[in-house]
Amino acid sequence: MHGNTDNCVETALTRGQIHKNGSARGECAIKLGIGPNSFYRFAMAALRDLIRLNYGQKLFLTATLPLILAGVLISVIVTLESRQLAEREIRNLEDQLIAAKRDELKNYLSIARTAFVNIYGRAAPDDEVAMLHVTQILAGMLYGQDGYFFVYDYDGNNLVSPRQTDLIGRNWRGLTDAAGTPVTDQLIRLARSGGGYHSYDWRKPSTGETARMVTYVIGLQDWRWAVGTGVFIDDVLATVNAARAGVEARLQRTFLWIGGITLAALLLVFTSGLFINLRERRLADAKLKKLTQRVFDAQEEERGRVARELHDGISQILVGVRYALDTARRRLDAGDARAGETLDKGIEYLAGAIQEVRRISRDLRPGVLDDLGLGPALKALIDDFGQRTGIETEFATVVFRNRLDGDAKIALYRVAQEALTNVERHSGATRVSLDVRGHSRGATLRISDNGCGLDVAGAGKSATGLGLRNMQERIDQLDGTLRILSSRTGTVIEASVPLTHLLPPQERSDTSPPATRARA
């Protein structure tokens, strides 16, 4: 059944047979025993599982996506700006080339006018002989492969066209090129107004193909003639197109360079990230091994301490209790009056055992810390320390406006406990003071003594064990700070936790009964 169901779901997802209302076509929904909406939710959950990214992939995307976006934006901006700049330069080039062609046309027409100006100047408006002479002069003035002069009268009749003689003697009013641009009418209009330039598509005499032509025309007003010449600018357009192609090729190369640099940067980021990830993983594994070993060492040390406490303390006391009870039983059997005295001694031993159990339990986890808060727990700790060691103690605190959370209370208590242990074992101090108070930045625990101070080598060595390093790690877990100031006249240990570990006054702990809740 499960195999059929899985195959059905896989087939539906693979073939894309999910209907727009969330149901799969076919019998999958029936085999699964679910409705359309349930199947849709199931399919979406499966797709989310497929595209879910792990931490490394998210980190890689976070590092690479800005780089990719920056590369794309740079490519787009560079392409747009370069194309705009190149287009302006190409237009300027085209304008310059066409301007040179126009100047060339002016020069040609100026030469032609010089050739017939004397005839035109002495002729009358209806001097047909002079007109024929001028048309012969213009028809013979050819230059280059396609250069020639043309003449139209103002009625549109062609009078001169030496390279396209089929135009001569015919009226061409209303003539347009393939694009619909007026030819003859515009030339006549320009001639009537004194002269000007006109561009249109025209058949090239040398090849018979249509090409772009620029003409310059002037008017002989006495004879009502439009005299002009033209030059084909297909070479100009070819130059412009070649320039545009060169620009596109350069833009493409630039885009490829940007893409290559971006790809190289991505590979560098990937390689660096992979190297850093492997290195950090090795360091994390090494730290984890050390931490695991330290946990094992701490467990063994604590077990050894509890075992010593039980063996040296409670075990001895209980042996004394048993001995006293045995003695009392024998004396009772013998009717000895000292049986009651022996029982009293056994009861005294048993009370001592109970007290010792309470002391060990308090060292492991002080109940007053949960019941009354940090202040009373520290007061009980330092009082017991003074009674046990004979060292003069001083305790000061300020009532907190807010209570500490559980993690902060335990951490500060263990710091105080570890510090007092170090004072007892190593400092040789005669006076210890403990101060704990809350303030605007959080809470601070300060322990000072007048001992011999910390030895640098010894401190470094203990820092690798369970001493000062335990304090540091406990405070680091709370994002707090630990300062240790040591000299030959004493040592000061100051532990601070941030304000985030102070609870609002109205917040209550559900783990403590209302009667035992108190401020730290």
Side-chain angles (χ1 to χ4, degrees), residues 22 41 64 76 113 131 144 249 252 297 346 403 457 483 499 513:
R41 289 195 297 270
T64 56
V76 171
R113 188 168 185 172
M131 292 180 182
Q252 186 176 6
D297 293 341
R403 294 190 306 110
R483 293 198 309 159
L499 192 62

Side-chain angles (χ1 to χ4, degrees), residues 2 14 39 42 53 92 114 123 132 209 214 225 265-266 335-336 345 383 394 403 424 431 457 514:
H2 292 288
T14 303
F39 186 83
F42 175 78
L53 302 177
N92 291 334
T114 303
L132 178 61
E209 297 177 354
V214 176
W225 280 10
L266 288 175
D336 192 341
K345 186 177 294 185
D383 288 345
E394 180 182 356
R403 294 190 306 110
E424 180 181 359
R431 186 178 69 255

Side-chain angles (χ1 to χ4, degrees), residues 361-430:
S361 175
R362 184 175 64 250
D363 290 341
L364 293 176
R365 174 73 181 191
V368 67
L369 184 65
D370 297 324
D371 296 338
L372 301 180
L374 181 63
L378 292 176
K379 180 70 168 65
L381 177 66
I382 197 169
D383 288 345
D384 180 72
F385 173 81
Q387 293 176 2
R388 189 178 70 256
T389 62
I391 298 175
E392 179 183 352
T393 61
E394 180 182 356
F395 177 77
T397 185
V398 174
V399 178
F400 290 3
R401 298 178 62 186
N402 297 311
R403 294 190 306 110
L404 283 170
D405 61 16
D407 294 337
K409 287 194 297 184
I410 294 173
L412 292 179
Y413 183 86
R414 294 304 183 190
V415 168
Q417 197 175 37
E418 185 68 36
L420 292 178
T421 300
N422 289 339
V423 170
E424 180 181 359
R425 294 179 179 177
H426 309 295
S427 70
T430 59

Side-chain angles (χ1 to χ4, degrees), residues 148-152 158 160-161 187 200 215-217 226-230:
Y148 65 94
F149 292 91
F150 59 84
V151 178
Y152 289 92
N158 183 274
V160 176
S161 181
L187 292 175
Y200 51 88
T215 59
Y216 181 66
V217 64
V227 180
T229 185

